[in-house]
Amino acid sequence: MKTYKIIFFFFSISLFFTGCKEYLDLEPNSTIGVNDFYSNKTEAEIALSGIYSIFANDAVYGRDMSIAMEAGTDEGYYNRRFNENWTVGLYRHTSADSYVFDLWTNLYEAINLSNLFNEKLQKDAFEEAEYNRLLAEALFLRAHAYALLVNWYEEVPMPLTSTQDQSANNLAVSSLEIVYEQIIKDFTFASEHLVNVGDPNYVQGRATKTAAQGLLARVYLKMAGFPLNDKTKFALAKLECEKVINSGVHSLNLSTSSTITDPATNDTRIVVTVDGYRNHFLNYIKGTYDINESIFEISFKYLRDQGLFTDGRIGEANGLNFNFGGGQPGFPFAFAGYSPSPLLENSYETANDSIRKTWNLPAFEYRNDGNIRRVENELSPNFAPGKFRRWEPADLADLDRDVVPGSQQAYVILEQGPIFKNFTNINFPVLRYSDVLLMYAEADNEVNGMPSSLAVQYLNNVRNRAGLEPIGIAKPSAIASKENFFKEIVEERFREFAFEALRKHDLIRWGLLGERLKLLEQSIIGHPNYSPTNANHDAFLKASRFFDPSKHLSLPYPLQEVQLNNALEQKPNW
Amino acid sequence: MNKLLFFTVIFLVFCLDISAQKTIKGTVKTDTGEILPGVSVSIKNTTKGTSTDFNGNFTLSDVKNTDILVFIYLGYKRQEVAVNERVNFDISLSSTAEKLDEIVIIGYGSSNRKELTSAISKVNVEDLENTATTNFDQALAGRVAGVQVSSLDGTPGEALNIVIRGGNSITGDNSPLYVIDGIPLEDFDPASISTDDIASFDILKDAAATAIYGSRGANGIIIITTKEGRKDGKTDFNLKIANSIQYIPRELEVLTPYQYVKYQEASSLAQDNYSPADRTNGFYNTWGDPELYRNVEGVNWQDEIFRISTIDQYNLSVSGGSEKTSFYLSSELLDQEGTLINTGFKKINNNLRLNHQISDKTKLRAQLQYSYSNRTGIRIADGTFNRVVRDAIIFRPVTPINDDGLLPGGVDPNDANERFFFDPVKNLNNTDRQDQRDLIRGNINIIHDFSDKLSLNSTTNYQVETRKQSIFFGADTQQGTRGQNGISGSITQRRFQTLSTSNTLQYDTKFKKHKIKGLIGFELQDRTETLTDLQNSLLPTDIFGIDNLGIGTTPSIPDTNATGNRLFSYFSRLEYSYNYRYYFKLIVRADGSSKFLGDNRWGYFPAISSAWRLDKEEFIKDLGYISTAKLRVGWGITGNNRVGDFASQTQLAIGSASGYLWGSGENFVPGAFLSNLGDPNLKWETTSQLNIGFDFGFLRDRFDGTIDFYQKNTSDLLLNADVAPHTGFSRVLQNVGEVRNTGLEFTVNSKNINKEKFKWQSSFNISFNRNETIALNNGQTEILTDPGWQPGGATEFQYITRVGQPVGMIYGLRFDGIYQPDDFVFTNGIQTTTLKPGIPDNGATVAPGSIKYIDQNGDGTINEEDRVIIGNTQAAHFGGFSNSFNVGNFDAQILFQWSAGFDILNANRAEFTVPGARVFSGFPELLNAWTPTNTNTDVNTVVYENIFGGPPDGNTLDNRYIEDGSYLRLSTIALGFNVPKEKIKVLGLKKLRLFLQAQNIYTWTKYSGYNPDVSVGRFGALTPNLDWSAYPQSVTILAGVNISL
């Protein structure tokens, strides 16, 4: 009997401890459940910042998508002969490639966070306009992520709700039409509810109405080209561009120039006194928003010293060679892994385009002996793009002088903020006003079968800023037919947007990538400095050599996706 | 008291003749036949009684036939005997202080070894003590069948990797649960107790044994009990002083100065494409004639960073007390220098144990332990870029006669690509890293016997541990000189707190031939963990070290974190045996954990086992020579709950890892991201295990042994599983996949010679384990892993876990020789770098002298699709063979330990045998590089026809670098001499023992690295047996003295 009492007592004690069922209910202290968030403006902003942040990752605009994966067009190539690190730019990737995986994973992470935002943003906690504005921003980012995904991978799975569990693994790809339909829907919602530059609610650096319209125009142009080839979309592209242009909130960062007549020869030439092209890009480099011309950009800032990872690689991986200082803090190191192609230089020269050539292909470097040197040889690995330069010579005359032994030639750091070796403060443009102008010109030409005067005018606006004469004067044939005008657009976009991560997808939608890569190969082999036994030169040919049009117009699905998504099949050839 | 006794006796004498009563007498002895004086003899329910005299005799008068005699003596079991007609009583009392070598601790109780129904191994604690080791786990390898003990590398004081019966988990933790003095502890650090304080050490291997620990039992359990004080009124002082020296047994063979210069000469010529030009001229201008260096001694960088080091060790213990109250107090101080300069390990352990008999039914046991440890010096297995051992191997051994402007070792100060190479001596000397742990553990245990059948055992434990990890990079370190943070330091402090209680009721009864033992209990555990992290960089000076970080100018954002979990459990065990022949055991445990939600919160873990003692059967007894024969069968389910505290909840995190800039000044806005996709259905990893064992003994157990066969199926793996990345996640922790381990263990012990003056015992064990991945996530067939030891470069999957294969196999390309001129096309008599049709490239442009691989899929190039399994990381068998001798006052122990039939990924060779254009040195293979005249070789050329011969990034690992790691090690030799008692009596000593011990003495292996017992891969079971710039294991030789007074 006594025994039973003891056992009873014993269990009473144990029940006392757990009498409260909550004993095992613990909530995390340092993180928060998804249902407890999105309930006020601060939380919504933190959530949006988290989505933006993904676009600034190394895998997206931070480095890979904006630089390494964009190599391997007529713009330029990865120039290292020792390795093939920029696999996608060399067309040497497989489905297990980390670029293929990382871009996919990051964009879908942004999509999932946008989906979650869409589901969880508490409607009754906000005024309607504010609620819609916040939602529009999340949907803008989702649409952009999907637009990038279809650009790179074509048909993709399209989750529109946040991932709950494992059952989400198996999701078939959606057809291009369906994905585009959703992108259009999201951008349209965004363009209806976002504010424009100048609105009291506008915050610099964040998505705007015109950004949504402009990126939608880009999507329509893509739909009009390869692989959908839906020509009806040109009109819609034109319409969206019109909306941006007519909004009146954007303009080019203009150049001022005067025409000078040489009294001796009576030749006239244009002398640019204020270089708007340069000034515009200095804004990205210095991290100041050029809100007139820059419609949407990705912001980077070096805050690693505070333990924050908001920096990028712009200007380092695609920068002007700077090898002085051994990579120490304070020295604007750039490793120049990316070389511009002779084709680009030819294009500038043919068009007498010195403003943009000077900016994009300055052809100088800072050597580790303290000497600023010209890079005369386009086939040197040190021939590098200057668009996102971290530094410049203080005195251009140093280009032609040798350094005095024991001293160093002076340079100016253009970038603002702490200067560290591999990480930069330079912003990256996603959509510029000149792009909207040229997209209008391109769409208009297709819609009308001939460039309208407005199309010519917009092209001229872009040319004018670059210090070039109107196209009708410089090259009358270019506006004589639809085909010629299209060719001019191809060249103009080449010169205007070099190294802005637009070229590869322009060429793909135009169906020109293979052709232009052949031209690239010829331009290298035909270059006077080319030597077949030079291993560097041989390496420059890799992109054109390995390009296979049956495989390389889009990326394979990442191996991990194929392995775990039972509803998805790898593309043929992969 | 004596008066009372006196009066009682007088009273009894007076009463003598009053009724029909008799006088009885008798003797009380122990069950081993020793006389017991002072035993209380009384008549139940009366005050009548006496006690035994000096010879164990007693007399008691006035005893009725109906009386019951009660014999009570502390430390022995109470015994009641009915008087009836008897007048003479020969009583033998059995001890409650059970002899430890026969008693096995089984978790919430103990059992006699002969009565076990499950697979439990006992480690002889003296064997562990008598080794030249700093923590007990270092002495464990080879001692127990089925227990694989391996080092990550030779870092001083680092906990070893203990895997019992093969790893269950793929991405989870496979280490066993430790139960210290009855309390299950997570994160137990072997440094936190002194080996000398261990009283017993038992390893629970099969589910029938470990199911009593339910959701934490799947990886096996190590149960340690610590020593108690003496109970006989005497006091022991014990002092042990030991000093050791340590050294690394071998250095890796690198180029001698002359070889290095010849290598550079050849490399220069190759870079000039065999017609001397700039490079070659440059070489001769700098170095002059290579013959100048023929007898130059040069610098052996390995000698510079390694040293012969010492360990000082002091143990003091005091043990004493009485029957009623006893104590054990001990203190250990150990100070170890690492064999790598400026590394070391220090620990202080203080332990107080108090036992008090509150009444004859209630016992109190309390313990208070304080432990401090500090591991200092660079963690050389950390980080991809900074590797001191790598630098010691590749740094050139000699400098040229004409200065070439390079730093010592050949580092080019102006080449940004060489910024991670740094003078390893400076790096080591000026990096101050400390991992300090302070642990306080308090333990109160009350045992109350309600009767001789029913007892309560209640233990409450509080433990708090603070781990302060700090690292400071002085000016003269790689980070200080070339890193972005300059002179910098950081401190991370973690605090772990565990409060737990475990309470059991045990009922023990016998009737006729039936024996029943029942146990029920409950247990609670509450753990919390907090983290604080701070960091400052760009300090103007390093004179203050870590102690004044405030002078830095760029502090990083401080970080804090808090987390915790709770566990609540019920358990019960029922044991039944019949006639010492048939044994049955049933265990059920229910665990409720805060880590899991809803229906999965509670998990149930049953086990059933039985044994049949054949040796009790007549037909075996008749054979005579068989002394033990027992068949055991057991089956049970256990779990593994080692997941993040909130892994089952989807969580948003806000922190420095995510955030964006906007606004006119590009202001930072913290960003929210999904840190975890919670799987609400997450539950324990479940292991079901079948064990069939046979224990045998011959000739009164002069030879005895055990054979165990087991099959473990682990399903619902807590797998950090790959998921389809379109979900927004690349990995999610979930219960998927299955792993099977099947194995056989064999142990045999033999008392070869067992004479008074000469004893020789041998023990041998061998284990075979087969590990197989049965399933992964969602039809996934393989997990590819890049161990990430190569700095920069492309992703290269060097390990694979594939369904149908063991976990963590080495994955790479197959070497197919070196490209020769014949492989290329000749145009106009001139060889080009175009390959002949059908000959694949190696993933990059190739020329004669380049590395060639087998093109497995025949697509003409080499990429991921050409990788195959090239190495098996699972040992075919492992085991140990030990011998111990006692000759007079001398004793000796020798242990051999082996592991065989497994491969090592020798990343050192993959890196240091590949000729490159840099000035760095390496292994002697470099001398055998391909040249147009040295074509019969496996080593690529530096460069030929402007094409570099080395492997392209992402295609660097091939089967040349996979080596058989089989080894046999003379692991322990221990010699002891007990100075004869008569000689030390004059000194007033009880004992004086001198000893000489050596650990890790010699390893027989074909492996070319420092040591085959290495595994520095950072992804656990996915990347085993990786040797990359690891801390070599040391030989330790120890001399010491043990004094007792």
Side-chain angles (χ1 to χ4, degrees), chain B residues 175-215:
Chain B
S175 59
L177 177 76
Y178 282 92
V179 178
I180 310 297
D181 288 320
I183 295 291
L185 292 173
E186 308 283 342
D187 294 332
F188 174 74
D189 179 357
S192 71
I193 60 172
S194 164
T195 312
D196 288 6
D197 287 349
I198 298 176
S200 77
F201 195 109
D202 297 276
I203 301 179
L204 276 52
K205 299 195 286 196
D206 71 339
T210 65
I212 196 73
Y213 291 101
S215 63

Side-chain angles (χ1 to χ4, degrees), chain A residues 25 31-32 92 166 561 564, chain B residues 601 651-652 726 734 778 843:
Chain A
D25 287 332
T31 53
I32 190 162
R92 290 289 258 176
Q166 272 285 297
E561 182 71 40
L564 288 143
Chain B
R601 175 151 281 173
Q651 296 157 71
L652 279 171
H726 80 259
Q734 50 192 317
N778 203 33

